[in-house]
C-alpha cells in the first residue's frame, strides 16, 4: 500500500457494507466484515482541519470517498478548501485546487 | 482511602530518576504515617525516555520495587498517559477492598529533560529511539510531518473555531485565569500574572496554539498512598464518589469529529453530582484541552466552551473554580503527563491546604484526566467524604 504513495495515489479499503477506510485492517471497523477490497482514491478532497508549524502545513483531509487521513499540504489553505494529492516521493502531499 | 501524597518537581533534576522517586515516596509515606515496610502494593505508569533517558525498562514495576526495597503482593501498570493517575487510584481502591493489598503507592512521573533535550515531544518519542510503535498504522501516518501532540491539538483548536466561532482570545482567557490561580501556588513554576495580550503575542508554535497555551515538560514525580484505614492519617477520609473511564482507540481522522474527547463518556455518570462539585481539576496539556473538557464534562454545551472561558470567573475566587493551583500549564508537566498535578491539587483543596488559592468549603472535587496518543483515554473522578 505504501508503494502507491510514490505515484501520488491514495489507496483505501472498501467494504461490501459500503464503508470506506484508510488505515489498513483485515476487518471493517464498522461492520466487522471481511469482504474488503483495495481501491484507489480519486485524490480529491477537502481540508477538514489544518495547522501551520515550523515544518509546513499539516492537515486532516476528507477525501471524496468519505474517509479521512493525515497529510501534508503545500501552500496555505483553510478549512473547507478543495485539495488534490500531488505526486511525491513517498510522502503524500496535497495542494489547493484553485477555483476557476 | 488516600492517606498521603507528595510531589517533587524541578525543571531539570540533576540526579538519577530513582533517587528523585525515592525522596518523593518517603515524603508521601510520612504524610500517611506509614513506612516502606507497610507498603505491599505498587501501581505505576511510564513513558519511554523519561527514566534516566532509558527507552524501556523491562519489568518496570519490579525495578521500582527492587530499588525502593518493597516486596509487593500486588503490582500493576497503567498505560493511559495523562489519564493514568486517576485510573491507578481507582484500581488501588479495588485492590484494597478485595483484600489483594493493604497499602498501595501510586507512582506518576519521571524525568522529561532527557527527552526534551532531544527536541522531541511525548508522542514522537519513536523518532528519537528505534523500535517504538505508537499505533498499528505507524507506516501510514508517520510519513507525514507532525509534531504530536501539539499539532493534533492545533488541528482540534482550528476545527473548534471553524465549527463554533471560538476565538484565540477565548482560549487565551484560560491561560490568564489559570495563571491568576498559580500566583497563589508556591509549587508553580510560572507565577507572574499575564494578560490576553501576553498570550496572543507569545510565539506561535502550531497555529493557532501559542507558547503560553502549552505545558512545559519538567522532571518530577507525584506519589499517592492509598490504604485501608485512615486512622493514622491527618487527611480527610476521602472516597471515590464517582469513577468513569472511556477509551477511544480510533485514529482521530476516523472519529465522527475531532472536537470531542472520551470525557464525554467517562464523565456521563458524574452529571447528577455536578451541582455539588466545589471545584474542578481539568486536564490542561493545552488551553484547548481545558476548553474541550469544560464542554465534555458538562460545564458548557458543546461549542460554548469559548464563551464559558470568556464570561465565567473560574479562578479560585470565582463561581466555578477550575485548575485552582494554576494547573500543569504553570506547574509544569512531569514526564509528559499531568494526571498527578491535577489529582494532587484536588487533594490539596479537599484538605484545605490551598494556601494563597484555597477555595472556601471544598467538599467535592471533580478531576478529569486525558491521555494517550491523540487523547485516546479519559478518566473522570469525583472525590469527597
Ligand atoms: Zn463494513
Amino acid at each position: 500500500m505504501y508503494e502507491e504513495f510514490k505515484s501520488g495515489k491514495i489507496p483505501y479499503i472498501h467494504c461490501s457494507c459500503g464503508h470506506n477506510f484508510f488505515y489498513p485492517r483485515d476487518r471493517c471497523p464498522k461492520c466487522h466484515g471481511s469482504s474488503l477490497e483495495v481501491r484507489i482514491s480519486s485524490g480529491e478532497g477537502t481540508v477538514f482541519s489544518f495547522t501551520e508549524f515550523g515544518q509546513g502545513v499539516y492537515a486532516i483531509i476528507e477525501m471524496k470517498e468519505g474517509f479521512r487521513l493525515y497529510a501534508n499540504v503545500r501552500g496555505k489553505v483553510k478549512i473547507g478548501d478543495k485539495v488534490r494529492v500531488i505526486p511525491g516521493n513517498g510522502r503524500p502531499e496535497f495542494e489547493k485546487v484553485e477555483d476557476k | 482511602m488516600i492517606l498521603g501524597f507528595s510531589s517533587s518537581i524541578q525543571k531539570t533534576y540533576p540526579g538519577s530518576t530513582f533517587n528523585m522517586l525515592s525522596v518523593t515516596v518517603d515524603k508521601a509515606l510520612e504524610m500517611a504515617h506509614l513506612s516502606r515496610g507497610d507498603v505491599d502494593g505498587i501501581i505505576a505508569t511510564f513513558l519511554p525516555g523519561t527514566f534516566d533517558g532509558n527507552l524501556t525498562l523491562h519489568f518496570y514495576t519490579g525495578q521500582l520495587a527492587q530499588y525502593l526495597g518493597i516486596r509487593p503482593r500486588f503490582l500493576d501498570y497503567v498505560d493511559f498517559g495523562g489519564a493514568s493517575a486517576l485510573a491507578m487510584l481507582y484500581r488501588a481502591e479495588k485492590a484494597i477492598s478485595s483484600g489483594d493489598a493493604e497499602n498501595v503507592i501510586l507512582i506518576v512521573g519521571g524525568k522529561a529533560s532527557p527527552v526534551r533535550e532531544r527536541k522531541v515531544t511525548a508522542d514522537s518519542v519513536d523518532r528519537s529511539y528505534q523500535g517504538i510503535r505508537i499505533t498499528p498504522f505507524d507506516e501510514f501516518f508517520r510519513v507525514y510531518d507532525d509534531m504530536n501532540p501539539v499539532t493534533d491539538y492545533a488541528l482540534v483548536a482550528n476545527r473548534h473555531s471553524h465549527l463554533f466561532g471560538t476565538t484565540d482570545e477565548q482560549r487565551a482567557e484560560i491561560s490568564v485565569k489559570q495563571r491568576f490561580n498559580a500566583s497563589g501556588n508556591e509549587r508553580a513554576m510560572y507565577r507572574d500574572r499575564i494578560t490576553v495580550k501576553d498570550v496572543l503575542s507569545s510565539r506561535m508554535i502550531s497555529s493557532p496554539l501559542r507558547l503560553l497555551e502549552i505545558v512545559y515538560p519538567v522532571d518530577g514525580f507525584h506519589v499517592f498512598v492509598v490504604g485501608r484505614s485512615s486512622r493514622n492519617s491527618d487527611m480527610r477520609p476521602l472516597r471515590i464518589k464517582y469513577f468513569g473511564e472511556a477509551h477511544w482507540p480510533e485514529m482521530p481522522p476516523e472519529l465522527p469529529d475531532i472536537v470531542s474527547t472520551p470525557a464525554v463518556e467517562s464523565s456521563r455518570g458524574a452529571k447528577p453530582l455536578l451541582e455539588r462539585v466545589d471545584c474542578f481539576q481539568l486536564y490542561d496539556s493545552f488551553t484547548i484541552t481545558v476548553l474541550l473538557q469544560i464542554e465534555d464534562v458538562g460545564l458548557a454545551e458543546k461549542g460554548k466552551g469559548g464563551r464559558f472561558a470568556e464570561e465565567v470567573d473560574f479562578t479560585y475566587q470565582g463561581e466555578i473554580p477550575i485548575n485552582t493551583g494554576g494547573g500543569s500549564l504553570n506547574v509544569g508537566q512531569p514526564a509528559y503527563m499531568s494526571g498527578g498535578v491535577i489529582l494532587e491539587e484536588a487533594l490539596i483543596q479537599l484538605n484545605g491546604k490551598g494556601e494563597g488559592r484555597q477555595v472556601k468549603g471544598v467538599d467535592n472535587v471533580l478531576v478529569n484526566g486525558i491521555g494517550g496518543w491523540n487523547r485516546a483515554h479519559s478518566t473522570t473522578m469525583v472525590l469527597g467524604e
Side-chain angles (χ1 to χ4, degrees):
Chain A
M1 241 177 148
Y2 183 74
E3 282 298 307
E4 320 271 4
F5 291 158
K6 287 184 183 165
S7 52
K9 292 194 164 69
I10 303 287
Y12 66 97
I13 299 172
H14 174 76
C15 174
S16 60
C17 81
H19 185 57
N20 293 335
F21 57 99
F22 177 67
Y23 298 102
R25 276 148 291 182
D26 62 359
R27 291 274 173 160
C28 168
K30 194 166 185 186
C31 73
H32 296 157
S34 57
S35 172
L36 308 173
E37 62 174 287
V38 175
R39 292 184 177 178
I40 299 295
S41 161
S42 62
E44 293 169 38
T46 56
V47 176
F48 186 75
S49 196
F50 73 97
T51 180
E52 190 175 357
F53 69 114
Q55 295 173 53
V57 175
Y58 176 68
I60 292 176
I61 306 295
E62 184 160 84
M63 303 303 290
K64 223 174 172 179
E65 295 81 9
F67 65 92
R68 293 185 216 128
L69 75 163
Y70 289 124
N72 293 335
V73 175
R74 203 179 287 176
K76 304 246 181 205
V77 285
K78 54 185 195 308
I79 294 175
D81 279 354
K82 285 189 164 52
V83 290
R84 72 171 154 242
V85 70
I86 45 181
N89 54 2
R91 294 164 71 83
E93 207 176 3
F94 285 75
E95 67 184 354
K96 188 173 168 177
V97 179
E98 298 298 337
D99 297 325
K100 296 210 175 77
Chain B
M1 277 174 199
I2 303 158
L3 309 182
F5 60 93
S6 189
S7 61
S8 313
I9 294 175
Q10 285 184 35
K11 199 169 174 184
T12 307
Y13 179 79
S16 88
T17 311
F18 279 121
N19 189 248
M20 181 172 51
L21 169 65
S22 184
V23 170
T24 322
V25 166
D26 287 338
K27 284 195 291 182
L29 287 173
E30 196 182 317
M31 187 193 269
H33 298 282
L34 292 172
S35 69
R36 288 195 189 186
D38 299 316
V39 177
D40 58 358
I42 300 174
I43 311 181
T45 188
F46 171 68
L47 186 93
T50 60
F51 220 97
D52 290 331
N54 291 322
L55 171 60
T56 53
L57 293 178
H58 196 30
F59 300 134
Y60 173 60
T61 49
Q63 290 197 31
L64 297 176
Q66 280 176 354
Y67 188 84
L68 296 170
I70 290 164
R71 176 176 278 196
R73 288 199 290 150
F74 177 84
L75 275 182
D76 206 352
Y77 177 76
V78 174
D79 192 19
F80 308 154
S84 301
L86 303 181
M88 285 156 64
L89 176 53
Y90 178 72
R91 283 156 175 73
E93 292 281 11
K94 287 263 190 191
I96 289 163
S97 65
S98 69
D100 289 342
E102 196 73 25
N103 297 300
V104 180
I105 55 170
L106 316 181
I107 297 172
V108 196
K111 286 178 64 173
S113 52
V115 181
R116 199 177 65 213
E117 279 155 20
R118 290 165 197 251
K119 299 215 181 299
V120 293
T121 59
D123 291 343
S124 59
V125 281
D126 56 328
R127 292 190 167 147
S128 63
Y129 300 94
Q130 288 285 309
I132 296 186
R133 290 181 71 88
I134 292 176
T135 78
F137 315 116
D138 281 18
E139 293 85 347
F140 297 92
F141 71 88
R142 285 300 188 185
V143 296
Y144 308 120
D145 289 324
D146 71 68
M147 191 173 61
N148 262 304
V150 190
T151 42
D152 172 65
Y153 279 94
L155 293 172
V156 173
N158 263 339
R159 179 127 185 107
H160 201 280
S161 294
H162 172 78
L163 291 176
F164 308 118
T166 312
T167 64
D168 291 356
E169 286 79 4
Q170 289 172 334
R171 278 196 329 277
E173 286 283 352
I174 293 171
S175 297
V176 172
K177 285 168 181 156
Q178 289 202 190
R179 181 63 69 86
F180 178 86
N181 288 341
S183 64
N185 182 5
E186 282 183 6
R187 284 175 165 83
M189 180 162 62
Y190 303 114
R191 300 182 60 187
D192 296 336
R193 303 271 177 88
I194 52 171
T195 64
V196 167
K197 202 172 151 230
D198 291 331
V199 180
L200 296 183
S201 55
S202 66
R203 186 159 59 91
M204 186 67 83
I205 304 298
S206 182
S207 65
L209 298 180
R210 296 178 170 86
L211 189 64
L212 288 178
E213 301 185 67
I214 295 174
V215 289
Y216 190 87
V218 294
D219 296 352
F221 276 102
H222 286 87
V223 174
F224 304 92
V225 183
V226 188
R228 186 187 302 282
S229 162
S230 68
R231 88 200 112 132
N232 291 323
S233 172
D234 307 327
M235 289 183 63
R236 278 172 86 172
L238 300 172
R239 63 186 182 86
I240 299 171
K241 291 186 162 177
Y242 169 80
F243 178 77
E245 66 182 58
H247 308 280
W248 290 359
E250 294 89 344
M251 298 288 285
E254 292 196 341
L255 292 168
D257 207 320
I258 56 175
V259 291
S260 293
T261 71
V264 168
E265 240 175 82
S266 67
S267 68
R268 195 168 286 149
K271 295 283 186 296
L273 293 171
L274 280 190
E275 279 297 303
R276 283 185 281 147
V277 169
D278 305 300
C279 69
F280 294 80
Q281 309 300 335
L282 304 178
Y283 202 80
D284 66 328
S285 44
F286 303 94
T287 49
I288 184 69
T289 327
V290 180
L291 200 149
L292 294 178
Q293 284 165 97
I294 284 170
E295 298 172 346
D296 292 351
V297 306
L299 292 175
E301 271 173 60
K302 182 51 71 186
K304 304 266 174 70
R307 241 171 74 193
F308 179 101
E310 193 172 50
E311 292 171 359
V312 176
D313 179 2
F314 62 82
T315 67
Y316 71 94
Q317 299 171 333
E319 54 211 284
I320 304 176
I322 297 174
N323 295 346
T324 46
S328 48
L329 282 174
N330 297 300
V331 171
Q333 189 179 45
Y336 298 90
M337 291 186 257
S338 302
V341 177
I342 53 174
L343 178 55
E344 180 180 46
E345 180 63 18
L347 298 174
I348 287 171
Q349 290 291 334
L350 282 161
N351 284 283
K353 294 175 190 292
E355 298 159 355
R357 82 295 184 176
Q358 178 67 44
V359 177
K360 288 199 187 82
V362 176
D363 290 317
N364 296 294
V365 178
L366 184 144
V367 199
N368 197 83
I370 294 283
W373 204 85
N374 281 321
R375 61 191 187 279
H377 312 281
S378 176
T379 46
T380 310
M381 182 175 275
V382 178
L383 282 169
E385 270 189 42

